[in-house]
Amino acid sequence: AVFYDDDFVPAPGALEAIDKLFASRPEVAGATGLVAADGASMTAITDKAAVEVCRQLHLTPPALAERRVIGLYGCNMAIRLSAAKDLWFDEALPLYGWQEDLDFGARLSKRGTVIRTSAFSGVHRGVKSARPKERGLGYAQIANPVYLMRRGDIPASYLLKLMARNIAANHLGAFSPKTATDRLGRIKGNWRALADLLLGRLSPSRATTL
């Protein structure tokens, strides 16, 4: 099964490459492809620009690279259904489901190898209009990793680094006049979640109330 975000543009031949990868590598349970450009972490990429990048990827394919990873990146991932039998996305992570792909991939890795590979690729446009309120997302950036930490399927050290990176990016990004993201909203969500953590009432579901 292949998962693409609705604002992801796959490079030509991506599906064929995925099929070839899984046919030749029976030990691979899941794979994240190369995201050649990611508008989620910067200004959204136009459809025209994304198509041009994908055309270049087709004309000059990147050198084949691969490494094992803890989880997957949901905008461009593929899983082996036989390995994922009876494995579900966690519905306790509401709205945007922040890090549900990481969680799913981590649990899938117990059934086979999970990799990041340049065997297939594309561009994530990162369209902003379809995303949830930034305050709720900021809350999820803390609440969801803490929830996953308590579950124990992902190393706590990895999740702590993830939270620290998000908090730092929001605070540093708030000083940039060129940012297209409501960093202030995310900061408010971050601090609301930290307060709830101290008060013992932190829960992913509270992001729906912000």
Side-chain angles (χ1 to χ4, degrees):
V2 179
F3 294 82
Y4 288 139
D5 277 7
D6 57 6
D7 58 348
F8 185 83
V9 181
L15 294 180
E16 291 85 350
I18 292 170
D19 184 62
K20 181 179 179 180
L21 171 69
F22 280 83
S24 63
R25 301 282 299 281
E27 80 283 5
V28 172
T32 286
L34 171 68
V35 180
D38 193 351
S41 58
M42 58 183 186
T43 303
I45 300 169
T46 66
D47 185 58
K48 182 178 179 180
V51 169
E52 177 57 26
V53 171
C54 287
R55 188 180 75 85
Q56 293 299 325
L57 288 169
H58 181 61
L59 294 175
T60 310
L64 185 61
E66 178 184 308
R67 65 183 178 90
R68 296 185 69 163
V69 290
I70 291 177
L72 298 168
Y73 188 17
C75 73
N76 179 27
M77 70 180 188
I79 64 171
R80 190 182 299 276
L81 287 179
S82 59
K85 185 178 180 180
D86 300 324
L87 194 64
W88 304 93
F89 288 99
D90 193 335
E91 294 184 358
L93 305 177
L95 298 178
Y96 193 56
W98 184 258
Q99 299 305 323
E100 67 178 356
D101 46 1
L102 173 69
D103 169 52
F104 186 89
R107 288 183 283 127
L108 183 65
S109 68
K110 298 177 181 179
R111 306 182 179 191
T113 303
V114 172
I115 61 173
R116 184 181 299 274
T117 177
S118 59
F120 58 99
S121 58
V123 174
H124 185 205
R125 293 182 57 210
V127 176
K128 312 301 182 187
S129 59
R131 295 178 180 273
K133 292 181 178 180
E134 298 293 350
R135 184 177 297 190
L137 181 55
Y139 191 95
Q141 287 178 332
I142 305 299
N144 293 15
V146 171
Y147 169 81
L148 295 175
M149 200 182 306
R150 290 168 175 167
R151 276 244 318 268
D153 294 307
I154 304 171
S157 59
Y158 183 92
L159 293 168
L160 287 170
K161 289 179 182 177
L162 176 65
M163 287 190 289
R165 189 165 61 245
N166 287 329
I167 292 172
N170 292 336
H171 285 74
L172 292 174
F175 294 98
S176 174
K178 297 182 180 180
T179 183
T181 301
D182 177 16
R183 294 289 181 180
L184 183 59
R186 290 191 186 183
I187 290 171
K188 291 178 179 179
N190 288 164
W191 284 102
R192 176 68 177 273
L194 290 170
D196 281 355
L197 177 60
L198 292 174
L199 293 171
R201 63 187 187 191
L202 183 70
S203 169
S205 64
R206 290 179 68 85
T208 62
T209 66
L210 301 179

